[in-house]
Amino acid sequence: MNPPPTADAVTATAPAPVADGPSIDVAAERARTAGSALAHHFNAAGAALPTRGVVTAVVDHLRLEEQKGGYEAAAERRGRIDAVYASAAALVGAASTEIALFDSASTGLRILLDALRPTRGQRIVASSSTYVSHALHLMSLAREHDIDLVIAPYDEGRRVDVPALEAILADGVPSIVTVAHVPTSSGLVEPAAEIGEVVQRYGGTYILDATQSVGHLSVDVREIGCDMMVTTGRKFLRAPRGTGFAYVRDSLLERLLPIAPDVRGAQWTSSASWELDASARRYETWEGPVAARLGLGVALDETLARGIPESEAWLIDAGRRLRTALADIEGVTVADPADSRSAIVTFVIDGVGAADAVVELARRGVRVVSVPATHGQWDLGDRGVPSVVRASPHVYNDDTDVAALVDGVAAIATGITR
């Protein structure tokens, strides 16, 4: 996604606790989030504001590299780097040996899907909520390898229709099922565990894109039943850009071979042979952003300390309240399913392009983004929606932020700024 217009710093307002929501100490979250005093930031689904602890971890390691060199600094911090795998595993219910670190979810999806080596005679079933980068890869594989690519049927809420999916898989064709848990284009939440039960029953391989859900909703890979899961650090985890991780079920490791082994995950043992690492690190590359990954580790630990059940309840409630407030504005249509249980809120304003609304809200110190149909043709394109405005709160957003967003949208909708 192209970066949204940014606003100049606005005058900091004394934070007010978000009323009537589950227990999160919003004032404490704001106190450790420098950016919360500079603008009303509603872009957690793009890149959330990091905490001071995350930034300090990154900067401290860069200073260490400055003093000792990159390799030497990494060696000194090896224990902390290894701890990142354990924290990621704890967050999603995996073993640390099942975790691989990547620079993004898109990279992880590409590497793992390529490692599956889908061929003619197999089928890929993808949710209509699939993000553009992954969809482009799927379409390329289908075109180049003559693989059947099927868009999963959806129900009246545009979620994967699980009985219809079962009917597809029941024919016995070897299938890879890939689902975006929460899409970029709406507040929809897919029935991930129900999908997992069906895919397991028919012997398929299940990939979950949890880019918008880890750190936002409870994601337990054992309960969901996915074979692989990928996520990014920069969104609801509040980690630096250029970070992400994947889970690969340990029983898949021996048959899921990286298409391009790297010295990080393989050992060259003779002139014509090599041995892969026994863990999911076999999918990694040697070079990586060590400082950013240490920041990821801090972000993971902070998320665990805050509590996933508490964060999920607070974020779902924040999304609900924001949808209600926006729906009460004449000329504004909320574009999410009516019963959405997420903190991602999308809407359109009559007669105003989404990108124009983003610019005007940025002028008021409110940071949101526009999502065009080119980022979700199987969803927005299929609905005939050219673009939506997306607002995604996090635990550092208070009532002052919400009022600024709602007031700004109301002003645009009533033509005050036109």
Side-chain angles (χ1 to χ4, degrees), residues 160 162-163 165 191-199 201 206 223-224:
V160 170
V162 178
L165 174 64
E194 295 176 42
I195 293 169
E197 194 278 326
V198 168
V199 176
R201 188 188 315 156
Y206 181 19
E223 292 180 1
I224 290 172

Side-chain angles (χ1 to χ4, degrees), residues 37-403:
L38 303 177
H40 310 290
H41 191 275
F42 287 93
N43 192 20
L49 295 175
T51 66
R52 288 185 169 88
V54 169
V55 175
T56 296
V58 174
V59 174
D60 282 354
H61 189 75
L62 291 176
R63 292 299 186 196
L64 190 63
E65 288 187 347
E66 178 185 40
Q67 296 164 6
K68 297 188 174 183
Y71 282 17
E72 293 79 5
E76 190 168 317
R77 295 288 186 264
R78 182 164 294 141
R80 294 187 189 179
I81 297 168
D82 288 342
V84 177
Y85 295 84
S87 296
L91 186 65
V92 299
S96 60
T97 54
E98 296 174 309
I99 299 296
L101 300 183
F102 294 110
D103 62 0
S104 70
S106 293
T107 296
L109 283 167
R110 184 179 68 252
I111 289 174
L112 295 178
L113 187 56
D114 286 344
L116 280 170
R117 291 172 171 77
T119 59
R120 186 175 183 178
Q122 291 183 303
R123 173 174 57 206
I124 297 174
V125 182
S127 64
S128 62
S129 54
T130 300
Y131 182 61
V132 53
S133 299
H134 191 40
L136 293 171
H137 187 201
L138 296 176
M139 290 187 289
S140 295
L141 287 173
R143 179 179 297 176
E144 295 173 10
H145 299 284
D146 195 22
I147 298 167
D148 191 17
L149 175 59
V150 177
I151 310 307
Y154 50 80
D155 61 19
E156 64 279 0
R158 298 196 66 87
R159 299 174 185 84
V160 170
D161 186 323
V162 178
L165 174 64
E166 181 171 9
I168 291 172
L169 299 180
D171 66 6
V173 174
S175 298
I176 299 168
V177 178
T178 176
V179 174
H181 196 181
V182 180
T184 193
S185 51
S186 83
L188 174 150
V189 180
E190 294 283 12
E194 295 176 42
I195 293 169
E197 194 278 326
V198 168
V199 176
Q200 286 187 352
R201 188 188 315 156
Y202 290 95
T205 301
Y206 181 19
I207 304 173
L208 183 71
D209 178 357
T211 301
Q212 301 285 16
S213 56
V214 172
H216 174 190
L217 307 175
S218 176
V219 177
D220 186 305
V221 294
R222 309 296 186 199
E223 292 180 1
I224 290 172
C226 55
D227 296 292
M228 288 167 272
M229 181 225 71
V230 298
T231 193
T232 189
R234 73 180 189 273
K235 297 178 185 284
F236 286 93
L237 286 174
R238 305 178 65 186
R241 295 191 68 177
T243 61
F245 69 89
Y247 151 81
V248 181
R249 187 191 298 274
D250 55 7
S251 59
L252 280 181
L253 289 175
E254 286 310 310
R255 74 175 178 87
L256 197 66
L257 306 178
I259 203 165
D262 181 86
V263 67
R264 166 64 172 165
Q267 188 173 47
W268 197 5
T269 54
S270 73
S271 62
S273 62
W274 64 95
E275 294 179 359
L276 292 171
D277 192 280
S279 75
R281 299 187 194 192
R282 62 176 55 193
Y283 308 110
E284 296 181 3
T285 56
W286 169 258
E287 192 51 48
V290 176
R293 287 178 177 177
L294 290 170
L296 170 64
V298 172
L300 289 166
D301 290 342
E302 290 178 346
T303 300
L304 288 164
R306 188 172 63 243
I308 287 299
E310 294 81 2
S311 298
E312 176 181 297
W314 192 95
L315 289 165
I316 289 174
D317 187 67
R320 176 192 61 78
R321 294 190 308 111
L322 188 53
R323 285 188 197 91
T324 298
L326 291 170
D328 285 341
I329 301 172
E330 186 175 355
V332 174
T333 302
V334 174
D336 303 323
D339 57 348
S340 294
R341 291 182 55 78
S342 79
I344 295 178
V345 180
T346 61
F347 59 96
V348 295
I349 304 173
D350 291 351
V352 181
D356 292 334
V358 169
V359 171
E360 176 56 29
L361 287 168
R363 189 183 68 80
R364 293 168 169 265
V366 179
R367 294 174 178 165
V368 295
V369 297
S370 62
V371 181
T374 53
H375 286 189
Q377 286 289 2
W378 298 340
D379 178 23
L380 292 177
D382 187 55
R383 285 191 272 160
V385 178
S387 61
V388 293
V389 181
R390 186 185 71 196
S392 44
H394 214 315
V395 293
Y396 45 72
N397 287 121
D398 64 7
D399 285 344
T400 303
D401 293 328
V402 174

